[in-house]
């Protein structure tokens, strides 16, 4: 795809705002034009990198006046084709706005620039003896602004909720040019509509987030991680259902299947956890003031279908257990460009869903391989399909209709992006769609922000 040319005078205006060094029109655009999976490849006339909120506002002003569509981009680790210029949009990169503020110990809060990586936020919290609760495998590249725009979930939703639950305030430039800023961090502040909640999960369609105030949680002195092997998926899911109520200090519960663990082992030389393979594996983590190891051990002892267990308390060995899970995404990418479904199902129907969905996929793509893993504690399963054409629209419809028929959501944590815009109406009513379009139009009347995201 050829990127459309921008009028030299417009380029001139943009250079005036951010400086010539921060308007990229040469080959350096490439990494901004393709997504992490390699499935979504676009082309942009220019990548513009503002240094602060006022420059973001001025860039959007230029774009509004010349009706230039814009894709806001953070770490470009998104999974739904929302962060790349698939229709020749200008890319607005937020990575320069990466200041990490001082930790407010009294309030257990911090203010960070939208371009700061999740990891830098987590490190600032840890250095202050606290913790930022949202965590996931792309932490080294994903940005705070991108995590808010996607309402990212990750591995600790089970205990702390997702990004929206951590969000106390944002600073953002709306598509209309309005600049909203509320970073005071008052926990009780019922002064009208809660714009941070609205912008969280809006996927760059309503405004460009430039800063955020987030809450931090206690970093507990004791953390234990266990990998538990089961003789069936159903037994693993029953165990999670029980542990969610019996272990109130449970941070994470992740599921993997044997083929995924084998794939990670083959792809990255990861040592297989147990002598004998298991059908399903649960990776669970608990943290507390008092060592939760015994609590976890009792819960595992009460579970049925357990074949093997590995427990770790020191961070090196805990990291090793987490590798099996965290490297699924990269291992699957070594096979080819995956077709990714990120769905939520009611826990009661999850075992059946996991048993049936591979055959649902094969009804449309007989030669496909299906890889299942995910945040089982939240009912969130990642269904990755390989061995098919990247844009298998027939497969999307077939799988999403099955998910909806099972009472599920077609997007658990990755968002809708461009990949699922066509199917959003399967999960949202015509009135909900109309209400969302009305909000979009009100906050971005010219329609410059991510015009192909969310709405088909
Ligand atoms: P980008 O990819 O750059 O953008 C994502 C979307 O947000 C786009 O629509 C973009 O336009 C918009 N956007 C970005 N920045 C801004 C901004 N400042 N203002 C307005 N809009 C903006 N996600 C999860 O939820 N849970 C996981 O467990 C998880 N694990 C992952 C593991 C791996 C290995 C990888 C590669 C990805 C994973 N992801 C996960 C997906 C991804 O990392 C998240 O969606 C993340 O929040 C994206 O952040 P980003 O900065 O890379 O955003
Ligand atoms: C994960 O949990 O690893 C991610 O959300 C990424 C993926 O779906 O591959
Ligand atoms: Zn995930």
């Amino acid at each position: 795809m050829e990127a459309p040319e921008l009028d030299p005078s417009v380029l001139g205006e943009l250079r005036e705002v951010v400086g010539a060094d921060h308007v990229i029109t040469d080959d350096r655009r490439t990494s901004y034009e393709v997504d992490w999976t390699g499935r979504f490849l676009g082309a942009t006339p220019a990548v513009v990198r503002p240094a602060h909120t006022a420059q973001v506002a001025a860039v959007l002003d230029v774009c509004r006046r010349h009706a230039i569509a814009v894709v806001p981009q953070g770490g470009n680790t998104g999974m739904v084709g929302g962060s790349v210029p698939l229709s020749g949009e200008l890319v607005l990169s937020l990575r320069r706005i990466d200041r990490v503020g001082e930790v407010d110990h009294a309030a257990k809060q911090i203010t960070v620039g939208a371009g700061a990586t999740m990891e830098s936020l987590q490190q600032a919290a840890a250095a202050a003896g606290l913790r930022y609760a949202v965590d996931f495998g792309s932490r080294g590249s994903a940005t705070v602004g991108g995590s808010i725009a996607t309402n990212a979930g990750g591995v600790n939703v089970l205990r702390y909720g997702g990004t929206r639950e951590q969000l106390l305030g944002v600073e953002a430039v709306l598509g209309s040019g309005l600049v909203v800023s509320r970073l005071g961090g008052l926990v009780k502040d019922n002064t009208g509509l809660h714009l941070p909640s609205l912008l969280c999960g809006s996927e760059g369609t309503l405004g460009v987030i430039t800063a955020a105030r987030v809450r931090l949680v206690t970093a507990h002195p004791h953390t234990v991680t266990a990998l538990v092997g089961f003789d069936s998926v159903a037994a693993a899911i029953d165990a999670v259902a029980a542990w969610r109520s019996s272990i109130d200090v449970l941070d994470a519960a992740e599921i993997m299947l044997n083929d995924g663990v084998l794939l990670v082992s083959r792809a990255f030389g990861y040592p297989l956890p147990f002598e004998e393979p298991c059908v399903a594996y649960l990776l669970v983590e608990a943290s507390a003031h008092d060592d939760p190891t015994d609590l976890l051990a009792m819960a595992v002892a009460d579970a049925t279908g357990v074949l093997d267990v590995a427990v770790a308390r020191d961070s090196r060995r805990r990291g090793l257990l987490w590798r099996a899970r965290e490297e699924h995404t990269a291992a699957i990418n070594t096979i080819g460009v995956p077709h990714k479904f990120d769905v939520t199902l009611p826990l009661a129907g999850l075992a059946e869903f996991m048993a049936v969905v591979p055959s649902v996929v094969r009804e449309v793509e007989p030669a496909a391989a299906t890889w299942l893993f995910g945040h089982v504690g939240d009912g969130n399963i990642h269904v990755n399909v390989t061995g098919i054409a990247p844009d298998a629209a027939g497969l999307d419809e077939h799988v999403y209709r099955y998910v909806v028929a099972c009472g599920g959501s077609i997007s658990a944590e990755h968002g809708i992006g461009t990949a699922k815009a066509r199917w959003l109406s399967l999960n949202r009513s015509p009135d909900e769609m109309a209400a969302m379009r009305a909000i979009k139009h009100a906050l971005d009347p010219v329609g410059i922000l991510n015009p192909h995201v969310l709405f088909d």
Side-chain angles (χ1 to χ4, degrees):
M1 172 186 166
E2 272 301 299
E5 294 285 316
L6 267 186
D7 187 294
S9 66
V10 174
L11 279 175
E13 287 185 60
L14 294 169
R15 289 191 179 107
E16 239 166 70
V17 173
V18 299
D21 292 349
H22 298 294
V23 178
I24 300 172
T25 55
D26 57 23
D27 294 354
R28 289 172 296 156
R29 289 173 290 172
T30 312
S31 64
Y32 297 87
E33 294 174 325
V34 60
D35 80 311
W36 194 94
T37 67
R39 178 176 164 201
F40 301 103
L41 174 63
T44 183
V47 175
V48 179
R49 299 162 35 97
H52 48 69
T53 303
Q55 286 189 357
V56 170
V59 169
L60 292 189
D61 179 54
V62 173
C63 295
R64 239 186 341 277
R65 281 188 285 108
H66 298 286
I68 296 168
V70 176
V71 171
Q73 191 184 89
N76 198 15
T77 64
M79 292 282 175
V80 289
S83 58
V84 283
L86 296 178
S87 306
E89 299 91 341
L90 181 134
V91 170
L92 182 70
S93 170
L94 283 303
R95 289 183 216 168
R96 286 178 68 203
I97 311 182
D98 60 359
R99 186 174 172 279
V100 176
E102 295 298 309
V103 169
D104 177 339
H105 285 271
K108 289 189 359 183
Q109 299 175 0
I110 188 169
T111 298
V112 285
T117 63
M118 298 292 292
E119 195 164 54
S120 64
L121 165 54
Q122 291 164 348
Q123 287 167 344
L130 294 167
R131 184 180 174 194
Y132 182 61
V134 176
D135 189 29
F136 43 88
S138 56
R139 62 183 70 79
S141 312
T143 63
V144 174
S147 72
I148 295 169
T150 55
N151 188 27
V155 297
N156 295 324
V157 171
L158 188 60
R159 185 168 185 180
Y160 298 104
T163 299
R164 190 174 282 122
E165 285 72 41
Q166 321 309 319
L167 194 56
L168 292 157
V170 292
E171 184 165 285
V173 183
L174 305 183
S176 61
L178 297 174
V179 177
V180 297
S181 182
R182 200 159 190 77
L183 297 171
L186 296 176
V187 175
K188 293 176 81 172
D189 179 17
N190 278 357
T191 51
L193 304 180
H194 195 250
L195 299 175
S197 300
L198 181 62
L199 287 165
C200 189
S202 64
E203 301 185 44
T205 61
L206 301 179
V208 176
I209 297 153
T210 56
R213 180 86 172 174
V214 295
R215 74 178 180 125
L216 302 175
V217 298
T218 302
H220 298 115
H222 299 282
T223 301
V224 60
T225 307
L227 183 67
V228 188
F230 288 84
D231 60 7
S232 73
V233 170
I237 292 174
D238 288 347
V240 168
W243 298 350
R244 284 187 349 157
S245 30
S246 66
I247 310 174
D248 57 5
V249 294
L250 198 61
D251 288 351
E254 301 285 310
I255 197 166
M256 303 174 277
L257 303 184
N258 195 46
D259 59 357
V261 172
L262 280 177
L263 177 67
V264 172
S265 173
R266 267 201 313 272
F268 304 123
Y270 177 79
L272 292 173
F274 304 133
E275 300 229 334
E276 295 301 321
C278 305
V279 174
Y281 300 83
L282 279 183
L283 185 71
V284 288
E285 187 159 280
S287 68
H289 278 292
D290 306 317
D291 185 347
T293 305
D294 293 347
L295 192 61
L296 194 54
M298 281 190 296
V300 173
D302 287 346
T304 57
V306 174
L307 298 176
D308 213 333
V309 185
V311 177
R313 278 200 294 273
D314 66 274
S315 59
R316 190 190 63 76
R317 292 188 50 245
R318 287 179 29 239
L320 197 60
L321 293 181
W322 271 101
R323 260 193 70 201
R325 166 62 183 83
E326 291 215 340
E327 297 202 2
H328 265 65
T329 306
I332 289 166
N333 244 54
T334 63
I335 302 174
V337 177
H339 205 86
K340 302 174 86 74
F341 298 93
D342 158 47
V343 299
T344 311
L345 281 299
L347 220 57
L350 196 53
E352 170 157 359
F353 172 82
M354 292 180 72
V356 173
V357 74
S359 55
V360 170
V361 169
R362 283 194 299 274
E363 284 163 6
V364 179
E365 297 281 351
T370 301
W371 309 86
L372 305 175
F373 65 100
H375 318 287
V376 64
D378 318 321
N380 174 193
I381 295 297
H382 297 306
V383 180
N384 282 226
V385 181
T386 55
I388 61 169
D391 60 352
L395 180 64
D396 282 353
E397 179 162 9
H398 199 56
V399 171
Y400 287 139
R401 286 191 184 284
Y402 174 60
V403 168
V404 172
C406 296
S409 165
I410 67 168
S411 172
E413 59 179 7
H414 293 165
I416 299 296
T418 54
K420 306 174 195 175
R422 197 169 152 198
W423 312 110
L424 183 54
S425 56
L426 289 178
N427 249 162
R428 307 304 292 258
S429 71
D431 284 6
E432 287 178 310
M433 297 293 294
M436 291 196 274
R437 284 181 191 282
I439 293 168
K440 165 72 179 173
H441 185 66
L443 300 187
D444 181 23
V446 181
I448 58 168
L449 290 182
N450 255 346
H452 303 284
V453 164
L454 274 186
F455 306 111
D456 186 32

